[in-house]
Amino acid sequence: MDRSSETLESIREINLSYLMLAQRMLREDKPVGMFRLGLSSELADLLGALSLAQIVRLASSDQLLCFFRFDDHAMLSALTQTSKHADVAATHAAILLAGQPAGQFA
């Protein structure tokens, strides 16, 4: 298997894991799942209702379905810097993430 094929297979595995985790989080506690995943209510409903066959089909995309939410220095550094007050750093990061818009349909 060449590197390109390995990369595509890795993307598909990540997609499947992400979709299954997202669905489980949304079914266990929808508001918390929406917050942690950065999803709108409509998108959460759609993901929560996918059948296993639909999840597998969607996961087989060659595009990574999850995204890196830390798009600015403040958010990333709040989570990565060691601190005497780690609980405050986690709360700060949660506040910064809460200010981001939820994922919507395009």
Side-chain angles (χ1 to χ4, degrees):
M1 185 180 290
D2 66 1
R3 286 186 187 214
S4 178
S5 296
E6 287 178 17
T7 299
L8 290 175
E9 185 59 31
S10 293
I11 288 172
R12 292 178 182 126
E13 289 175 14
I14 290 168
N15 285 343
L16 183 59
S17 294
Y18 174 75
L19 290 169
M20 292 177 68
L21 175 63
Q23 195 171 59
R24 187 177 77 218
M25 290 170 63
L26 293 168
R27 287 181 177 165
E28 288 175 358
D29 189 334
K30 184 179 174 186
V32 171
M34 287 172 50
F35 173 74
R36 288 186 173 158
L37 295 165
L39 300 177
S40 67
S41 182
E42 294 81 12
L43 195 51
D45 289 342
L46 179 65
L47 282 174
L50 291 175
S51 69
L52 182 57
Q54 289 171 315
I55 287 174
V56 170
R57 193 171 330 130
L58 186 56
S60 68
S61 168
D62 63 355
Q63 299 296 314
L64 197 57
L65 299 177
C66 56
F67 65 98
F68 198 69
R69 292 177 62 192
F70 308 108
D71 60 354
D72 73 32
H73 182 266
M75 277 189 273
L76 191 55
S77 65
L79 289 173
T80 59
Q81 288 182 352
T82 56
S83 171
K84 294 179 184 176
H85 306 288
D87 54 336
V88 174
T91 302
H92 182 237
I95 291 168
L96 291 171
L97 286 172
Q100 288 188 326
Q104 301 285 335
F105 291 107

